[in-house]
Amino acid sequence: MTVRSQFFHADEGDAVAVENETGNSAVLLVCEHASNTLPARYGDLGLTEDVLSSHIAWDPGALSVARFMSEKLDAALVFQRFSRLIYDCNRPPESASAMPVTSEIYDIPGNADLDESERFLRTAALYVPFHEAVSSLVERRKILGIESVVVTIHSFTPIYHGRVREVEIGILHDRDSRLADAMLVDRDRSSFKVERNQPYGPEDGVTHTLRLHALPDGLLNVMIEVRNDLIADEAGQRAAADYLSESLERALASIGN
């Protein structure tokens, strides 16, 4: 019996999806927290519907923004089809937050006291195929002479633990800040309030995907966070996607890509 057949029902599809795989842009969009869907075997994890539709289960609006960017840039897009409450694909297996017992103010009953076999099963069923899909796409594009620019798309809440977040778009980077630096050059002319490494930074453990797929080979990369109240509808999603796509294109042109 395969891990997939143990984990998913026949009609649940794959853990990871790839769209516009042959897009002409060097940009490779990645959305790790695209969905709040739970595999049927986990029921509701002991959570209410309101909680499961909230930010703890996914990044609301992020996939729509990523899709609009994919269309505008003609960029490939890889995204996770299941909730980060089962496995957060932007965290390594050894991280406590990969399969969180608590998230913000919420306990996750279905994640309490996970044994090693369950942790292995989730890792094998969700984390491994997701990152294999990203790696495989990077390698196939390299063979075609395309050096990928890894761009991850996320959203964040306007209030966190009672604290209002004024930032509207965060441009995040790890030790390679080349693309982030170039995108931040014209932030003062933006209609959005744009800040570096806000509301999170690499010290918060949020740059795992960049560390895994971009930093080892020196690929240009950036992580983008958009405040989710700004992308709650299509108009907001398109506005954010337009700004970010244009910012990326200007930045890459200035770098020489």
Side-chain angles (χ1 to χ4, degrees):
M1 182 180 289
T2 66
V3 168
R4 194 198 181 288
S5 63
Q6 285 180 277
F7 198 85
F8 297 111
H9 287 187
D11 61 351
E12 288 187 298
D14 295 325
V16 57
V18 181
E19 294 181 354
N20 197 23
E21 185 173 349
T22 59
N24 289 318
S25 175
V27 172
L28 170 56
L29 297 164
V30 181
C31 193
E32 301 99 317
H33 305 151
S35 174
N36 63 346
T37 299
L38 298 176
R41 73 195 305 268
Y42 293 103
D44 58 14
L45 287 178
L47 300 170
T48 65
E49 186 175 339
D50 284 350
V51 174
L52 288 173
S53 65
S54 75
H55 182 80
I56 74 162
W58 63 322
D59 280 359
L63 178 58
S64 294
V65 171
R67 279 175 160 158
F68 287 134
M69 291 178 68
S70 173
E71 179 183 341
K72 189 172 182 68
L73 296 168
D74 191 21
L77 167 62
V78 182
F79 63 92
Q80 172 57 260
R81 296 187 59 252
F82 293 92
S83 174
R84 63 172 162 206
L85 292 178
I86 301 299
Y87 193 105
D88 185 335
C89 285
N90 196 29
R91 301 293 188 277
E94 65 272 16
S95 170
S97 57
M99 293 163 256
V101 176
T102 61
S103 183
E104 297 184 18
I105 63 173
Y106 300 102
D107 293 328
I108 318 297
N111 284 355
D113 303 316
L114 299 180
D115 61 24
E116 287 304 310
S117 63
E118 174 63 19
R119 296 183 70 87
F120 174 83
L121 182 62
R122 294 188 188 194
T123 302
L126 294 169
Y127 175 85
V128 171
F130 180 80
H131 286 291
E132 283 184 344
V134 178
S135 293
S136 177
L137 191 49
V138 168
E139 287 304 310
R140 291 199 302 274
R141 287 152 59 91
K142 184 177 180 180
I143 291 170
L144 296 172
I146 302 170
E147 186 171 276
S148 295
V149 176
V150 181
V151 179
T152 67
I153 307 296
H154 297 258
S155 71
F156 65 95
T157 56
I159 299 174
Y160 185 70
H161 288 297
R163 183 176 180 180
V164 175
R165 289 161 156 171
E166 299 295 339
V167 59
E168 294 180 327
I169 292 179
I171 304 298
L172 284 61
H173 61 82
D174 203 281
R175 65 178 182 269
D176 179 359
S177 67
R178 290 174 296 166
L179 184 52
D181 291 343
M183 290 182 70
L184 287 163
V185 166
D186 61 355
R187 62 177 163 173
D188 292 338
R189 289 180 285 168
S190 168
S191 61
F192 294 100
K193 183 173 175 55
V194 183
E195 295 184 12
R196 181 192 300 270
N197 282 339
Q198 292 295 330
Y200 310 105
E203 67 278 3
D204 299 305
V206 299
T207 55
H208 176 64
T209 296
L210 303 185
R211 292 179 181 182
L212 195 62
H213 298 290
L215 298 188
D217 293 324
L219 301 180
L220 289 169
N221 65 92
V222 71
M223 176 177 175
I224 295 170
E225 289 271 5
V226 185
R227 208 173 69 196
N228 66 24
D229 59 320
L230 303 176
I231 52 174
D233 59 22
E234 182 176 335
Q237 293 156 7
R238 285 189 179 276
D242 286 348
Y243 167 73
L244 291 168
S245 298
E246 291 163 8
S247 180
L248 270 169
E249 288 181 316
R250 288 194 299 270
L252 291 171
S254 72
I255 294 170
N257 271 57

